């Protein structure tokens, strides 16, 4: 299920959406769980499609749901849907394989961060466009962090001033992301981490409190409340 890239932008957004989401409890694949009556993936794609830089959206869906996902999203935006893999890395690779070479910037985004504002997509893309190999949106860590041993005894307190919580979309020069996947010896769940292993720098830009990751039932409740708030400026 392939859509032609739009001429308006220079960015492809890859969304690995084949995961089961077991921590949400039994049910549909995580990206297809309902948030206020609509799948997480619908909320995510609606925001991605509103970003002016985005020329192409590629969804790696559960293999059995490729046609259904394409039908679900077709009225929201032109999307390309491919069969994802058992692991996130396989899904990203499958989606990346259909991104044409003329799109030199690729963003990898989690459907579980379905309320990420348009401004974050544009900020990440602009930083790659300005010359960065890899870019991640981050937030400062606000909790006190303890290092513990195997018996849950505290070893010390970590200096949180040097820590950041990482969000998506993560942005890359397309050639760098492809090289990172080609070189990956082990399965990874963080594409920026694979770039780090190439010895390349990863830039940080401000993320958003709205880009929370829906992992547990309580996250669904928080996201449902956030949908009742006024939309942030794009």
């Amino acid at each position: 299920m392939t859509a032609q890239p739009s001429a308006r932008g220079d960015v492809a957004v890859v969304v690995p959406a084949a995961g089961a989401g077991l921590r949400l409890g039994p049910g549909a694949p995580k990206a297809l769980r309902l948030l206020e009556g609509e799948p997480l993936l619908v909320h995510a794609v609606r925001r991605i499609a509103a970003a002016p830089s985005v020329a192409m959206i590629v969804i790696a869906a559960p293999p059995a749901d490729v046609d259904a996902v394409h039908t679900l999203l077709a009225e929201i935006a032109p999307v390309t849907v491919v069969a994802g893999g058992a692991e996130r890395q396989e899904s990203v690779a499958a989606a990346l394989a259909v991104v044409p070479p003329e799109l030199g910037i690729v963003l990898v985004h989690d459907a579980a961060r379905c309320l990420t504002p348009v401004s974050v997509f544009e900020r990440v893309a602009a930083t790659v466009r300005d010359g960065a190999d890899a870019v991640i949106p981050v937030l400062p860590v606000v909790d006190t962090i303890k290092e513990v041993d195997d018996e849950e005894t505290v070893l010390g307190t970590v200096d949180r001033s040097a820590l950041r919580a990482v969000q998506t979309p993560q942005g890359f020069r397309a050639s760098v992301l492809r090289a990172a996947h080609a070189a990956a010896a082990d399965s990874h769940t963080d594409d920026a981490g694979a770039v780090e292993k190439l010895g390349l720098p990863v830039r940080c830009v401000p993320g958003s409190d709205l880009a929370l990751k829906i992992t547990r039932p309580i996250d669904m409740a928080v996201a449902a409340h956030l949908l009742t708030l006024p939309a942030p400026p794009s």
Side-chain angles (χ1 to χ4, degrees):
M1 295 287 182
T2 303
Q4 292 300 311
S6 166
R8 69 173 185 166
D10 58 354
V11 174
V13 180
V14 164
V15 183
L22 297 178
R23 284 174 289 182
L24 271 177
K30 183 176 183 178
L32 301 180
R33 303 289 182 99
L34 298 183
L35 171 62
E36 295 296 279
E38 291 186 310
L40 300 183
L41 187 58
V42 168
H43 290 281
V45 169
R46 186 177 290 124
R47 287 159 178 78
I48 295 168
S53 292
V54 173
M56 184 180 193
I57 304 170
V58 186
I59 311 296
D65 297 317
V66 168
D67 290 343
V69 167
H70 189 270
T71 299
L72 176 70
L73 299 174
E75 294 186 2
I76 299 172
V79 295
T80 295
V81 184
V82 301
E87 302 291 339
R88 183 182 186 279
Q89 181 177 341
E90 297 171 348
S91 292
V92 173
L96 189 59
V98 302
V99 174
E102 62 265 25
L103 294 179
I105 300 173
V106 176
L107 274 53
V108 182
H109 186 52
D110 293 334
R113 296 187 187 275
C114 62
L115 303 185
T116 301
V118 169
S119 57
V120 178
F121 290 91
E122 291 298 306
R123 188 178 304 131
V124 170
T127 307
V128 177
R129 197 176 292 119
D130 286 344
D133 289 319
V135 180
I136 54 175
V138 302
L139 292 177
V141 172
V142 296
D143 292 321
T144 298
I145 305 296
K146 300 287 186 180
E147 181 184 3
V148 301
D149 62 17
D150 293 341
E151 297 180 351
E152 295 295 310
T153 299
V154 172
L155 299 176
T157 302
V158 179
D159 179 6
R160 68 186 180 195
S161 67
L163 301 179
R164 298 293 182 269
V166 180
Q167 302 180 321
T168 67
Q170 298 184 354
F172 309 89
R173 284 198 297 118
S175 59
V176 168
L177 183 58
R178 290 189 174 100
H181 273 261
D186 302 314
S187 178
H188 61 263
T189 58
D190 177 72
D191 295 282
V195 171
E196 290 169 36
K197 291 180 180 179
L198 293 180
L200 297 174
V202 177
R203 288 273 306 278
C204 295
V205 297
S208 169
D209 289 328
L210 293 177
L212 79 163
K213 185 177 183 181
I214 296 177
T215 302
R216 303 160 299 167
I218 192 172
D219 301 323
M220 279 285 202
V222 172
H225 172 69
L226 290 175
L227 282 174
T228 68
L229 303 179
S234 58

